[in-house]
Amino acid sequence: PALQEREQTILIRACSKFDEDGRGFITCEAFQKVLECLDVSATLSECRAVFSKYGQDVRGRMPYKVFANALFTSKNRLLAWTDIQHTVPFQLDDSHKQKLQDAFTGKIQYRKCVT
């Protein structure tokens, strides 16, 4: 995926790979495979809980674009990111920080804030 690609787009594209008829719906088992592809481990019962929360059609398939939109625009997402932002997986000492700063020649692009 591209560096600037939104998480929502990545999820939708991953789900579309498992969308059997291309109509925007995904089965629970396929959703579990999507999560595995994204390095997220979830049991089948956890996936079913997601389906129960975000809805499914009469054939038991979830509309993944609706799910992705709800997931990435809800207040719950903002709360979830709060914990992640405070967690530091590793610490760099000052010499390594300086090397990274010296080596960086790119430009960080932020998505335009829409209110």
Side-chain angles (χ1 to χ4, degrees):
L3 185 60
Q4 311 90 317
E5 192 170 20
R6 293 176 48 187
E7 297 96 343
Q8 182 176 359
T9 305
I10 294 168
L11 178 61
I12 290 172
R13 188 168 355 126
C15 287
S16 70
K17 302 284 185 195
F18 292 91
D19 183 354
E20 295 171 358
D21 58 8
R23 295 186 180 195
F25 291 87
I26 194 167
T27 65
C28 192
E29 292 79 8
F31 181 65
Q32 186 179 26
K33 291 177 186 175
V34 168
L35 294 178
E36 287 175 12
C37 290
L38 298 172
D39 287 333
V40 175
S41 87
T43 65
L44 198 54
S45 63
E46 290 169 332
C47 291
R48 286 188 184 115
V50 170
F51 273 50
S52 294
K53 178 175 174 72
Y54 290 99
Q56 51 192 314
D57 67 1
V58 293
R59 294 173 53 193
R61 301 176 311 160
M62 180 176 64
Y64 54 84
K65 288 181 182 177
V66 172
F67 164 70
N69 186 48
L71 180 68
F72 289 106
T73 59
S74 72
K75 292 180 182 178
N76 291 338
R77 177 184 189 261
L78 300 176
L79 291 174
W81 277 105
T82 304
D83 291 339
I84 293 171
Q85 291 173 350
H86 296 312
T87 304
V88 180
F90 61 91
Q91 293 286 336
L92 294 175
D93 60 28
D94 289 333
S95 66
H96 285 95
K97 285 180 187 176
Q98 189 60 45
K99 286 179 186 176
L100 286 174
Q101 288 173 350
D102 292 341
F104 181 74
T105 58
K107 179 179 178 185
I108 298 174
Q109 295 181 346
Y110 295 97
R111 222 173 10 102
K112 188 175 183 177
C113 182
V114 179
T115 57

